[in-house]
Amino acid sequence: MKKLPSTTKYDPLITPLKYEEYLADAREQYSEEEIAGLLGVAPSTLQTWRDRYPAMREAQTRGRERRRLAFVKEAKRGLFKQLCGYDVEETRTVLVEGNIKEQHITRRHIPANVAAAIFVLCNMSPEEWTRSNARTLDFEENNRRAFTVKVIDNTADKVAGAIEGSLSTGG
């Protein structure tokens, strides 16, 4: 991005937009000091603008949110690649006395990542895919925890029903 000319004059039409763009740039990850430099001001001036002008605070909020969304998008894209597997091309170049003698291009497949699949299944469909079948059941009496039961297999609902039934019938 292009650096603005050195000035301490706040422009309500340009400065917040530039500030937001610099903050949103997920590839560069500019610090506040770097952004101040790109805007042609001292970091203290940037802080004064944020304190004084609501548009600068709003630009900061929008810019950070745009950066967060860019990270989430890239994380999803990377997770999808790990989930499905992907192909890569590797080029090996043989040099002899600084000249290319031969080039070998190899295409290979990176298989799906099992841990990525487990992560997606456990988070996208937790009722079917849990990392453990263990379930903790807390039972209260007079708004205080009476006891806790940890059930290790898939009969947790039956056990919970049986215990709740015995509590309600008094026995």
Side-chain angles (χ1 to χ4, degrees):
M1 293 197 181
K2 192 173 183 181
K3 181 179 174 180
L4 292 179
S6 181
T7 178
T8 56
K9 183 162 174 54
Y10 176 80
D11 184 334
L13 297 176
I14 295 174
T15 309
L17 295 174
K18 285 290 188 185
Y19 181 52
E20 179 181 339
E21 286 303 313
Y22 291 139
L23 276 173
D25 192 338
R27 297 264 185 238
E28 291 296 328
Q29 284 290 295
Y30 293 117
S31 68
E32 291 290 325
E33 291 79 18
E34 291 170 322
I35 292 172
L38 290 166
L39 292 173
V41 298
S44 59
T45 302
L46 184 59
Q47 180 62 49
T48 300
W49 287 350
R50 281 195 307 267
D51 293 342
R52 188 175 296 162
Y53 304 112
M56 286 296 284
R57 289 190 298 278
E58 292 164 8
Q60 183 180 40
T61 301
R62 285 190 312 270
R64 287 180 175 168
E65 179 62 9
R66 286 175 53 199
R67 183 182 344 190
R68 187 190 69 77
L69 292 173
F71 284 146
V72 168
K73 182 179 178 180
E74 287 300 315
K76 286 179 180 179
R77 183 177 292 137
L79 181 59
F80 185 77
K81 280 179 67 175
Q82 289 289 312
L83 186 62
C84 300
Y86 54 97
D87 295 324
V88 295
E89 274 189 5
E90 296 173 340
T91 303
R92 189 181 73 140
T93 304
V94 178
L95 298 174
V96 176
E97 297 179 10
N99 296 317
I100 296 175
K101 181 178 178 185
E102 54 188 66
Q103 249 183 344
H104 300 281
I105 297 175
T106 306
R107 186 177 178 102
R108 69 182 182 110
H109 180 73
I110 307 297
N113 183 324
V114 175
I118 291 169
F119 175 82
V120 169
L121 291 170
C122 288
N123 284 286
M124 299 299 284
S125 187
E127 53 289 332
E128 293 180 51
W129 298 91
T130 58
R131 294 186 65 82
S132 168
N133 286 335
R135 187 182 292 178
T136 301
L137 306 170
D138 291 322
F139 295 92
E140 296 180 357
E141 186 176 298
N142 297 329
N143 292 328
R144 297 181 71 191
R145 184 178 296 161
F147 58 92
T148 299
V149 176
K150 186 169 185 174
V151 182
I152 304 298
D153 61 25
N154 61 358
T155 61
D157 292 329
K158 292 178 186 175
V159 171
I163 293 173
E164 287 173 341
S166 68
L167 289 175
S168 64
T169 59

